[in-house]
Amino acid sequence: MILVGIDVAKNKHDCLIINSNGEVLANSFTIPNSMDGFLNLYSKICSYSINDPEIKIGLEATGHYSNNIAEFFLNKNFPIFIMNPLHTNLYRKSQSFRKTKTDKLDTLTICSILQTQKLTPYASVSYHSQELKSLTRYRFRLVDECSKLKVSFSRLMTIIFPELEPIVKNLQVNSVYHLMKECPSAEAVVKCHLTHLTNLLIKNSKGHYRKEMAITIRNAAKTSIGTCTPMKSLELVQTIERILLLRNQISLIEAKIEEIMKQIDSPMTTIPGISTQTAAVIYAEIGDFSKFSSAEKILAFAGMEPSVYQSGEYNSTHGRMVKRGSKYLRHMLFLAAENVSHWDPSFANYLARKRSEGKHYNVAISHVVRKLLRTIYAMESKHQAYQP
C-alpha cells in the first residue's frame, strides 16, 4: 500500500510518500498550490503505485485551502482521507515529549495515522449540499453583519433623535430607515414639508403610518434634545444604506435557498417550527444522513455531546458540551429546538418535563436537541413527513 501525507497550506503543500511497512519512498518535498504542483505529485504517486496499486492519500481539514487538492485527487479516483487537525495534533504530541512542530513532521504524522488507524474515506458532497452550504454560511455572515449595523443604528438614533423610538415602538423598520436616510437629524425632520413627510411614511410603511404620525414625529423633532453633527449624519446615512443593501442581498440568497430546498424536497420542513432556512442549514451541514449510523453520531459531529471524565473512583456527572464541530449546525439546532418546543405540544411537554427535573434551561434545550435529531434522522432515513 502507498501512503501519501499532505500538509496543506495557502501557497504550497508539503508531501511525503511511504509504503505500508513505513519505508520512505519519497522524502518530504514541497509542491506549489497550482495545477503544475498537483500534476507533479500525481505523477510521483503513479510511479510508485506500478507494483502496489492500493493508495491512500491523507490531509488535514484546513477549510478552503484543502478543497482544490482534495477534489483534484477525487477526480483521479484516489481515496482521500480528511483528518481533523485536533486529531493529528494530539497524535503528534503522543509520539514525543519534544515540543516540535514542522510541516515535514506533520506529513509523517498524517502518514502514520493512515498506516495505524481505521479511517472513513472522504466522499465528495452532492451538488445541492455544496451549494446549500455555501449559501447558508454566506447568509449567516451577512445576517451577523447586518445585526451589528442595526446596533450601530440604534446607538446613533439615541444621540441624534432619541424621541423617535417611543413613538414608532421599533426603530428597525423600513419606514424609519427611509425617513432617517432622507432626514438624518431632528432639525432636518422639522424642515421637511409635512406633505412630503407624510408621503414618505405612507410609501415605506405600506400605509401603516399616515399624516397623524407625520405630525407627531415632526412635533417631537421640534423639541428634541438630540445633537447632530455633519459627521454623525453621514455615519447614520451610510449605516442605513448598508443595512438596506444587506437586507436586499439576504433576500436574494434566501430565494436561492428556497429554490434548492424545493428540489431536495426534505421532509424536515414538515416539523412545526422548522422553517425552510433552518432546514437548509441543518441539511447543508449534515449532508448525506446515511453517512451517520445513528443520530448520536450527528450530535457528536455538531459538538453538542457532553464531555466525559472518569478517573479512579471519580466520575464527573456535570460534563460540559464539547463544542467541537460545525458551529453553524450547533447554532441552528439550538434555535430549531427552541422553535419546535414552542409550536409542537410533544416537544413542549418534553422541555417542561426536563425543566421540572431541575435542569437549567440550556441543559433542557440540549435534551430537546437530542430528541429532535432522532426525529429528523428517522424522517430523513425513511423520507417520511413528521407525525406527532
Side-chain angles (χ1 to χ4, degrees):
M1 182 185 298
I2 305 299
L3 306 174
V4 183
I6 304 173
D7 184 63
V8 176
K10 181 179 180 180
N11 298 315
K12 52 94 177 180
H13 306 310
D14 288 277
C15 311
L16 176 68
I17 303 175
I18 67 173
N19 61 22
S20 54
N21 297 323
E23 298 172 356
V24 177
L25 302 179
N27 284 313
S28 184
F29 58 96
T30 302
I31 62 169
N33 187 21
S34 64
M35 183 56 69
D36 288 339
F38 294 176
L39 292 173
N40 180 25
L41 177 58
Y42 173 68
S43 63
K44 284 196 175 187
I45 294 171
C46 290
S47 66
Y48 290 113
S49 63
I50 294 173
N51 299 322
D52 195 347
E54 192 174 354
I55 300 167
K56 282 186 178 181
I57 299 175
L59 57 148
E60 287 182 331
T62 53
H64 55 281
Y65 293 137
S66 59
N67 285 354
N68 292 335
I69 192 166
E71 288 297 327
F72 174 83
F73 282 105
L74 278 172
N75 291 332
K76 299 292 184 183
N77 297 321
F78 283 1
I80 302 293
F81 297 84
I82 307 291
M83 302 174 189
N84 191 321
L86 179 65
H87 185 191
T88 55
N89 186 38
L90 292 173
Y91 186 91
R92 187 187 67 252
K93 289 179 178 179
S94 70
Q95 301 303 303
S96 173
F97 288 111
R98 298 179 66 186
K99 194 173 182 179
T100 305
K101 184 195 180 302
T102 64
D103 292 339
K104 291 183 179 180
L105 185 59
D106 285 345
T107 58
L108 180 60
T109 301
I110 292 168
C111 285
S112 299
I113 294 173
L114 284 174
Q115 184 181 15
T116 59
Q117 300 189 27
K118 186 178 180 180
L119 303 173
T120 303
Y122 171 77
S124 184
V125 295
S126 67
Y127 171 78
H128 285 146
S129 295
Q130 196 169 15
E131 288 293 295
L132 267 185
K133 182 176 283 190
S134 297
L135 287 170
T136 53
R137 290 190 175 189
Y138 182 42
R139 178 185 175 274
F140 185 91
R141 291 193 296 272
L142 290 184
V143 169
D144 185 55
E145 186 180 347
C146 193
S147 299
K148 291 176 182 176
L149 287 171
K150 287 180 178 180
V151 172
S152 296
F153 175 70
S154 296
R155 172 183 59 82
L156 288 166
M157 288 301 295
T158 304
I159 298 169
I160 294 170
F161 192 2
E163 293 81 8
L164 184 61
E165 186 171 8
I167 297 172
V168 297
K169 306 302 182 184
N170 182 14
L171 288 175
Q172 312 293 345
V173 292
N174 206 43
S175 54
V176 175
Y177 289 146
H178 285 87
L179 169 65
M180 298 312 299
K181 181 184 174 184
E182 189 161 331
C183 307
S185 68
E187 184 182 352
V189 173
V190 174
K191 291 179 180 180
C192 184
H193 195 279
L194 182 59
T195 304
H196 180 69
L197 186 62
T198 302
N199 292 334
L200 185 66
L201 289 173
I202 291 173
K203 178 183 176 182
N204 293 293
S205 68
K206 295 182 179 179
H208 182 68
Y209 294 147
R210 294 191 164 274
K211 187 176 181 178
E212 295 79 12
M213 178 60 76
I215 293 171
T216 304
I217 291 173
R218 197 165 71 162
N219 289 338
K222 288 177 182 178
T223 58
S224 176
I225 61 170
T227 56
C228 185
T229 64
M231 289 302 101
K232 286 294 180 188
S233 292
L234 177 64
E235 184 182 352
L236 179 66
V237 170
Q238 291 194 349
T239 300
I240 293 170
E241 287 175 345
R242 291 172 66 191
I243 290 172
L244 295 174
L245 174 63
L246 285 171
R247 285 174 57 179
N248 184 51
Q249 290 177 335
I250 291 168
S251 297
L252 292 173
I253 292 167
E254 288 178 348
K256 288 288 185 183
I257 291 172
E258 293 265 1
E259 188 181 316
I260 294 174
M261 287 301 290
K262 282 182 181 178
Q263 296 174 18
I264 292 172
D265 190 27
S266 171
M268 209 186 306
T269 53
T270 61
I271 302 175
I274 294 189
S275 67
T276 304
Q277 301 300 322
T278 301
V281 175
I282 296 172
Y283 187 90
E285 294 299 320
I286 295 174
D288 185 4
F289 280 79
S290 64
K291 293 188 301 183
F292 300 91
S293 58
S294 66
E296 280 65 32
K297 295 290 180 65
I298 300 177
L299 194 76
F301 176 72
M304 297 190 75
E305 63 175 351
S307 58
V308 178
Y309 185 85
Q310 185 274 330
S311 180
E313 297 181 0
Y314 176 76
N315 190 6
S316 174
T317 57
H318 295 84
R320 291 176 178 268
M321 192 181 292
V322 175
K323 290 188 177 180
R324 290 173 182 165
S326 171
K327 66 176 182 180
Y328 305 99
L329 178 58
R330 189 162 56 247
H331 173 76
M332 199 52 67
L333 283 173
F334 195 92
L335 289 181
E338 286 187 314
N339 290 336
V340 172
S341 298
H342 178 76
W343 290 102
D344 185 80
S346 63
F347 281 93
N349 294 335
Y350 186 74
L351 176 61
R353 177 153 59 88
K354 291 300 175 182
R355 292 286 284 148
S356 67
E357 293 172 3
K359 298 188 187 303
H360 186 274
Y361 177 77
N362 288 344
V363 176
I365 283 293
S366 69
H367 282 273
V368 177
V369 169
R370 293 171 71 97
K371 178 179 172 67
L372 179 61
L373 261 180
R374 288 195 296 269
T375 304
I376 292 173
Y377 183 79
M379 289 168 57
E380 290 289 341
S381 299
K382 300 173 184 177
H383 200 74
Q384 291 180 350
Y386 177 68
Q387 297 177 358

